[in-house]
Amino acid sequence: MCMSIIFCNFARRNVCIVNILAIILAVMTWTVESKNVVKGSGEIPTGAAATYACSYQKGTVRKGDVAVLQITGLQRETIQNVDVWVKSNKTAGAGVFTVLADGTEIASKSGSLKDWVGQYDNTNYHRVNIWSGSITGKDEWIIDLSGTENSLYIDRYVITYQPSPRYSVRLMQGGTLFNELTETQGGAGVLLPLLKDTAGWSFMGWCDQEFWYAQTMPEVAPGGTRFYPDTDMTLWAMYVYEEGEKGAVTELSDGDYLYVNTTNHTALSGTPNEGKMAFALTNAYEEQLYYTMVFTPNRDTAYVTHKQTNTPIGYNAQAKMAAVRSPWRVYHNGEQTVLYTTIESKTYVLWLSVQDIHDQAYFYAGLYPTSNIASATMMQLLYPAGTEEPVYTCHPESGLGIELTEEGWNESEKEQVVQIGIYQLHIKNGKKYIKLNE
């Protein structure tokens, strides 16, 4: 880190008061290593990446040549300086630098090295300031050099910036502070924890609003995933109460199930597309997650169909997911159920978080090679929800808060009472009213 200090002088009654405001700045450097490669050093912001291309060789830009550096992932940082270290031929070397931020030109600098630093120099590299200012919120920065006179040589690009603030996230479990997490550096995000289910309530994830009762699921950040706050904030653990059979399937039989990973609370979702499938937050009320499974008599093989679309779920000879009827081998032990197959002597498990080899930030559901099926202890089958509407809450410690009065035996005459903080929501014969707790 480097430190820039701004002095503000105030004179009052012949007394000079100096107020010092320190702004912490960071520097990242991208050094040219070949005509298509730059190496980053210094303080690279989380998520930032650079690509480079020179039409001639390494950093050499002759007349008519172009060298372009593209940096992405800078939307949270405040960029303040763009410098390029260059040298020239002994008596010549000129070009035009252009800087674009998210496609908009913000600077252009034309001339020769002599114009910029006072001399030509074919031995030493000199700092040339291309742009100075203060810009925040631009994801992509492009620094372009077009040669107009032989030759300029680029050694490195130096970007000075004010880092994004490190934000903190307070995690509430009911009315109790569970933890407070702070980013290790601006933009790094925080890893949200997984919580255990409690007293009939299933943990769903973390939401940015506190509530006692809802029948529509709010937006949720799953536990076990990285969350990127854009300010200091509070998240509440959210739970769901589900009717019907609960928990993992322990005895296999034909039926409709969710195929889940209990470690990150995700479930297989949808149908195959281009050899891959999706996964989503486990929700026993979401029909997109329901799969009909038909087992052979000895329960070691299953055929799987997406219930909502009646699409078969299978695989092809290239170990890619496919909409074909394929036999899935089944490993079942207590609550653990794993679907797997063998293709050309290799064993693959149906896994819910396969990392894409071309885009490491992208994960999908698909076949993943393994040498030990039994180690996938987090894989289970879960029952779909019952016919009752789900109940979501941030306060499972308050109980379900739903009861039926004893007013008659007619089902339509029964009354639901839902606890919402200090209030009660009464539902009878489709009509609703609220009472203050006595």
Side-chain angles (χ1 to χ4, degrees):
M1 293 281 186
C2 62
M3 182 175 289
S4 173
I5 301 180
I6 302 173
F7 294 93
C8 302
N9 299 314
F10 302 90
R12 178 180 291 180
R13 297 180 182 178
N14 300 322
V15 177
C16 180
I17 303 174
V18 179
N19 179 31
I20 301 177
L21 172 63
I23 301 176
I24 303 300
L25 300 180
V27 177
M28 60 175 144
T29 300
W30 300 95
T31 302
V32 177
E33 295 204 326
S34 72
K35 66 177 296 179
N36 295 115
V37 176
V38 286
K39 182 178 180 180
S41 60
E43 296 167 286
I44 310 297
T46 300
T51 59
Y52 171 79
C54 181
S55 60
Y56 185 50
Q57 60 184 16
K58 202 175 180 181
T60 304
V61 179
R62 307 166 301 176
K63 181 178 181 179
D65 289 328
V66 177
V68 180
L69 176 72
Q70 177 195 49
I71 311 173
T72 57
L74 300 180
Q75 66 271 22
R76 295 169 62 104
E77 284 66 41
T78 300
I79 308 302
Q80 296 197 332
N81 281 291
V82 176
D83 299 320
V84 184
W85 288 75
V86 295
K87 67 180 181 179
S88 66
N89 287 342
K90 189 172 183 178
T91 58
V96 179
F97 279 105
T98 305
V99 180
L100 297 95
D102 279 354
T104 300
E105 183 178 314
I106 62 169
S108 180
K109 191 181 191 77
S110 61
S112 66
L113 185 67
K114 184 176 181 180
D115 295 330
W116 299 331
V117 303
Q119 63 177 324
Y120 293 109
D121 192 336
N122 64 345
T123 302
N124 302 303
Y125 289 96
H126 296 262
R127 170 185 171 271
V128 178
N129 178 248
I130 308 303
W131 174 83
S132 293
S134 182
I135 292 181
T136 306
K138 303 298 183 181
D139 177 74
E140 177 193 67
W141 288 69
I142 293 176
I143 306 164
D144 176 294
L145 173 59
S146 299
T148 58
E149 183 180 335
N150 292 353
S151 287
L152 293 173
Y153 306 85
I154 301 174
D155 177 62
R156 61 192 183 273
Y157 301 79
V158 180
I159 314 298
T160 304
Y161 65 96
Q162 183 178 344
S164 166
R166 294 190 307 137
Y167 294 121
S168 296
V169 178
R170 299 175 75 247
L171 300 177
M172 300 296 295
Q173 187 177 24
T176 303
L177 177 63
F178 176 78
N179 200 359
E180 184 165 354
L181 306 176
T182 301
E183 294 179 291
T184 55
Q185 68 179 88
V190 296
L191 185 63
L192 297 178
L194 285 159
L195 301 185
K196 294 181 179 180
D197 298 342
T198 175
W201 293 91
S202 299
F203 173 71
M204 292 291 291
W206 300 89
C207 62
D208 61 1
Q209 54 183 309
E210 180 186 20
F211 62 94
W212 274 261
Y213 169 84
Q215 287 187 299
T216 300
M217 187 175 75
E219 186 174 345
V220 164
T225 62
R226 189 160 290 277
F227 177 76
Y228 299 91
D230 53 14
T231 186
D232 291 333
M233 64 188 306
T234 300
L235 297 178
W236 284 265
M238 193 192 79
Y239 297 80
V240 62
Y241 183 88
E242 301 168 340
E243 294 290 342
E245 295 184 83
K246 299 181 178 66
V249 174
T250 57
E251 295 185 10
L252 298 180
S253 61
D254 298 352
D256 298 332
Y257 303 103
L258 290 79
Y259 183 66
V260 306
N261 182 327
T262 57
T263 299
N264 57 15
H265 209 72
T266 56
L268 187 67
S269 177
T271 59
N273 180 30
E274 297 183 350
K276 302 172 183 177
M277 288 184 65
F279 59 91
L281 189 68
T282 300
N283 183 351
Y285 287 88
E286 177 53 65
E287 293 185 3
Q288 185 74 3
L289 311 183
Y290 295 176
Y291 294 88
T292 301
M293 298 190 183
V294 177
F295 296 91
T296 56
N298 57 7
R299 305 291 188 264
D300 65 354
T301 303
Y303 291 88
V304 181
T305 304
H306 185 239
K307 182 179 181 181
Q308 193 177 55
T309 61
N310 199 34
T311 302
I313 305 299
Y315 48 85
N316 59 28
Q318 290 73 47
K320 303 294 184 182
M321 300 299 295
V324 297
R325 189 173 186 271
S326 303
W328 289 96
R329 300 293 302 277
V330 179
Y331 178 87
H332 181 72
N333 181 17
E335 295 186 343
Q336 178 190 15
T337 303
V338 186
L339 299 180
Y340 70 101
T341 188
T342 301
I343 301 174
E344 294 185 355
S345 302
K346 292 184 179 179
T347 301
Y348 298 86
V349 63
L350 177 53
W351 197 242
L352 301 187
S353 53
V354 182
Q355 188 175 39
D356 190 279
I357 60 174
H358 302 296
D359 181 1
Q360 295 188 355
Y362 172 62
F363 291 82
Y364 62 92
L367 294 181
Y368 187 76
T370 183
S371 58
N372 184 6
I373 291 293
S375 65
T377 56
M378 68 295 294
M379 303 306 298
Q380 296 180 351
L381 297 182
L382 296 185
Y383 295 100
T387 57
E388 297 293 328
E389 290 293 324
V391 177
Y392 301 96
T393 188
C394 295
H395 289 274
E397 75 281 3
S398 298
L400 181 60
I402 296 180
E403 62 185 35
L404 297 180
T405 67
E406 298 179 356
E407 295 183 10
W409 294 100
N410 189 308
E411 193 71 24
S412 65
E413 292 181 0
K414 292 185 179 181
E415 181 180 21
Q416 287 183 312
V417 181
V418 181
Q419 193 71 39
I420 310 177
I422 63 173
Y423 299 97
Q424 289 180 345
L425 170 65
H426 291 248
I427 307 172
K428 183 177 181 180
N429 295 329
K431 297 181 179 180
K432 301 178 182 179
Y433 62 94
I434 295 219
K435 291 175 60 177
L436 183 66
N437 287 341
E438 297 179 357

